[in-house]
Amino acid sequence: MTTSDEASDLARDLRRNLPAADKHLAMLHGRLAAAADAEGVLDIAYRTVDTPVGRLLLAATERGLVRVAYASEDHDAVLQTLAERISPRILHTPARLDAAAVELEEYFAGQRRAFDIPLDWRLTGGFRSTVLHHLATDLGYGQTASYGTVARLAGNPKAIRAVGTACATNPLPVVVPCHRVVRSDGSLGGYLGGLEAKRILLTLETAA
């Protein structure tokens, strides 16, 4: 049985030892990925997409989208963390994330106001999970709320700093809209993707 790690190692060996064209390697990789998926040994699929806020890494399990990462988070480091926290059986398998890529493309084109793809929430828990679930369901497109307002929504009005931590460690930015949380005076506050990315997302939603 071929594991995803073995598939990746084989592809690297072929690239070193055979003068194959890139398209042939891509075809081989696709076959290996399909085999790993069919045999049930592919736990995490990933791909990248180019967006107005930079290249985003998308990763999904059988449960749903588990990670969205900005380039500033270091995609290699993110994949390593996924291997440690979920499973080392990770493979670059773009087709498995086509639905997520399409919804993001529609969102950035101003054609989508909510995401319908299933989410895997396992990378967050406790109060942080409560905060992020409220952001996903209660803070609609084009709206903003202060950290204090979100703390009240999450059932702990005094947990303003904890709300900030939940936003800063959100494993699913853009899709779970922590960019809609701002300071009480209306200023942007922080954002894990950088303030320019937050500004772009808020401007996009306001203009639509």
Side-chain angles (χ1 to χ4, degrees):
M1 183 169 62
T2 301
T3 69
S4 58
D5 285 343
E6 290 169 344
S8 296
D9 290 342
L10 178 57
R12 282 195 295 269
D13 289 342
L14 287 171
R15 186 176 291 109
R16 284 196 301 266
N17 299 319
L18 295 177
D22 287 344
K23 65 178 182 179
H24 294 152
L25 289 174
M27 289 174 59
L28 175 61
H29 186 277
R31 291 176 183 174
L32 293 171
D37 200 6
E39 293 171 9
V41 295
L42 175 59
D43 293 332
I44 304 173
Y46 74 92
R47 69 178 292 175
T48 57
V49 293
D50 291 320
T51 76
V53 292
R55 179 165 290 187
L56 297 177
L57 171 74
L58 310 180
T61 67
E62 289 188 352
R63 298 182 191 178
L65 189 67
V66 72
R67 193 70 167 89
V68 177
Y70 283 97
S72 59
E73 298 179 75
D74 186 346
H75 291 170
D76 288 340
V78 170
L79 291 172
Q80 180 61 39
T81 299
L82 290 173
E84 294 168 355
R85 295 190 60 181
I86 299 178
S87 170
R89 300 193 298 191
I90 302 175
L91 199 61
H92 181 253
T93 316
R96 226 219 242 168
L97 287 139
D98 279 350
V102 168
E103 290 200 10
L104 281 166
E105 182 179 359
E106 292 171 346
Y107 168 79
F108 283 110
Q111 300 168 351
R112 172 174 291 275
R113 295 190 169 212
F115 293 94
D116 300 320
I117 49 177
L119 303 179
D120 182 341
W121 293 90
R122 77 178 73 186
L123 293 178
T124 188
F127 184 72
R128 295 181 188 181
S129 179
T130 301
V131 168
L132 296 179
H133 275 81
H134 277 289
L135 294 184
T137 58
D138 298 335
L139 197 52
Y141 187 95
Q143 299 177 336
T144 59
S146 69
Y147 292 93
T149 297
V150 175
R152 289 193 292 274
L153 280 174
N156 190 343
K158 295 182 179 180
I160 295 174
R161 183 171 295 180
V163 169
T165 300
C167 291
T169 57
N170 178 9
L172 295 162
V174 183
V175 176
V176 176
C178 58
H179 59 273
R180 296 174 189 161
V181 184
V182 298
R183 290 176 175 166
S184 57
D185 62 3
S187 60
L188 292 182
Y191 186 58
L192 76 167
L195 290 184
E196 183 58 25
K198 188 171 188 175
R199 189 174 293 110
I200 288 171
L201 294 172
L202 292 176
T203 300
L204 167 70
E205 295 185 2
T206 302

